[in-house]
Amino acid sequence: MFSELQRTEESYVKLRTALGAFRRYVPQSVVHGVLNGEILPFTSMTPCQVAVTFHDVVGFTTMCELHEPTLVVQLVSDMFEHMSKIIDRHNGTIDKYIGDAIMSFWEVGKPGTTTAKEACEACVKVLMQTHTTAMAGPDGDIIKFRAGGHFGEALIGNFGSSTRFSYTVVGDTVNSAARLEPLNKQLKTQIVISDELHRHVRSRDLLRHVVYMGRMVLIGKVDVTEVYSIVSTPMNKDAANVWRDTVSSFEAGEYAAAKDILLNGPQKLTDDPMAQEMIANIEAYIWEAPPEHLKGIRQQRGK
């Protein structure tokens, strides 16, 4: 009798240990779903509404070239640790780590994100904290994340083959979020989101940090995406007016007027890298006007 109890206890300890390890490989919500029968062990996906983000470490390729792999891995792991805790605190699900990137999502209808507003605002709160997630790099420079976010329809569930799959979200919404993150390099920003994500945010405090960047055609896409940047410090009134009028004139195809507003408005923005990129776009369109279907629209140049 004693030996049976001992074996039962040992089996229970092993089960707890295995479940603890399992939670480190997949999101805790997925573990719960598997245990209570909500998620079945075969490939199957269902429609959902979801906010998706990608966080990418700036300068990762150069770090890998210049430094020992163990040093780079430790640095990136420390950044992942910090950002993952922020995502968890705001009811997000970490889908996967992809090299130096984190893919996460907020599914509408889940606890803490029961509405599109809750999902998108939780997502934006995490993106806001991207500005303060930084560490000293091996050479003393500051290592930080760039991020992009989008909201829309997707499929969620087990995706893969009959022998191995992962619980994930797939679809055009995910693809667009993945395109938005590298757009930061071109726009000289740190965080960009789509209008689809922005329009569900109602918090005035969050919206103070959102700046409209204009209409873009993302790589591999046909439709135009309205893009916003999330800034760490809100623009003052004069700067916000100058930027708004510049973008408005640019979108109307009034490129000379847009340049004049940006260079000679009541608030000088020409030292801002974001404004310098806009000036370069304006001058390129003054030099050679784009086709009519691209009037006032910028194109993503590279991933």
Side-chain angles (χ1 to χ4, degrees), residues 3-65:
S3 61
E4 289 180 2
L5 288 173
Q6 188 176 30
R7 285 195 297 270
T8 301
E9 182 180 3
E10 290 174 353
S11 298
Y12 176 71
V13 170
K14 288 180 180 179
L15 178 60
R16 287 193 62 181
T17 301
L19 285 175
F22 190 34
R23 289 189 176 97
R24 292 177 180 269
Y25 284 95
V26 296
Q28 187 165 308
S29 59
V30 175
V31 176
H32 290 161
V34 171
L35 291 177
N36 63 27
E38 291 179 1
I39 299 175
L40 300 177
F42 53 81
T43 53
S44 175
M45 307 197 82
T46 57
C48 68
Q49 285 188 309
V50 65
V52 181
T53 63
F54 283 84
H55 284 79
D56 189 77
V57 176
V58 178
F60 179 74
T61 301
T62 302
M63 277 194 291
C64 288
E65 182 181 8

Side-chain angles (χ1 to χ4, degrees), residues 46-289:
T46 57
C48 68
Q49 285 188 309
V50 65
V52 181
T53 63
F54 283 84
H55 284 79
D56 189 77
V57 176
V58 178
F60 179 74
T61 301
T62 302
M63 277 194 291
C64 288
E65 182 181 8
L66 299 179
H67 301 285
E68 290 296 320
T70 52
L71 179 63
V72 175
V73 167
Q74 184 58 58
L75 175 64
V76 174
S77 295
D78 289 343
M79 293 192 68
F80 280 1
E81 178 77 14
H82 184 72
M83 182 54 67
S84 297
K85 288 179 179 177
I86 294 172
I87 293 168
D88 286 340
R89 282 201 304 269
H90 290 85
N91 302 306
T93 297
I94 296 172
D95 186 295
K96 59 178 70 73
Y97 299 103
I98 315 165
D100 63 320
I102 305 173
M103 174 184 165
S104 53
F105 64 85
W106 287 257
E107 182 186 359
V108 175
K110 293 297 182 180
T113 56
T114 56
T115 65
K117 172 183 176 295
E118 289 180 345
C120 291
E121 289 193 349
C123 173
V124 170
K125 286 175 183 176
V126 168
L127 290 171
M128 278 290 301
Q129 294 186 58
T130 303
H131 284 294
T132 57
T133 303
M135 293 184 176
D139 299 317
D141 50 341
I142 301 300
I143 308 299
K144 58 186 179 180
F145 282 111
R146 278 189 296 255
H150 186 51
F151 177 82
E153 302 286 336
L155 292 176
I156 189 167
N158 295 326
F159 183 69
S161 68
S162 60
T163 56
R164 185 170 179 177
F165 47 76
S166 60
Y167 190 83
T168 186
V169 288
V170 298
D172 186 59
T173 295
V174 179
N175 296 340
S176 293
R179 293 289 185 269
L180 285 164
E181 180 277 315
L183 184 61
N184 285 291
K185 293 188 228 177
Q186 178 177 331
L187 297 182
K188 303 299 187 288
T189 51
Q190 187 177 353
I191 307 165
V192 293
I193 62 173
S194 65
D195 179 61
E196 286 80 1
L197 179 55
H198 165 263
R199 73 177 65 156
H200 290 288
V201 177
R202 298 289 181 265
S203 166
R204 290 186 178 182
D205 185 55
L206 293 176
L207 290 173
R208 289 173 57 243
H209 293 265
V210 178
V211 177
Y212 179 55
M213 299 298 294
R215 293 177 293 164
M216 302 283 305
V217 177
L218 305 180
I219 286 180
K221 306 280 289 181
V222 175
D223 294 336
V224 172
T225 300
E226 293 186 349
V227 175
Y228 294 77
S229 174
I230 298 177
V231 296
S232 57
T233 304
M235 287 184 172
N236 63 48
K237 185 176 180 181
D238 285 342
N241 288 339
V242 167
W243 184 258
R244 181 200 63 213
D245 293 344
T246 298
V247 174
S248 178
S249 294
F250 181 84
E251 290 191 330
E254 299 168 356
Y255 307 123
K259 181 178 179 180
D260 181 65
I261 293 168
L262 197 52
L263 294 178
N264 302 309
Q267 178 74 44
K268 302 300 181 186
L269 301 177
T270 47
D271 291 334
D272 188 321
M274 189 172 75
Q276 292 170 0
E277 171 63 21
M278 174 59 91
I279 290 172
N281 277 267
I282 292 170
E283 290 178 340
Y285 278 21
I286 290 175
W287 177 259
E288 183 177 357

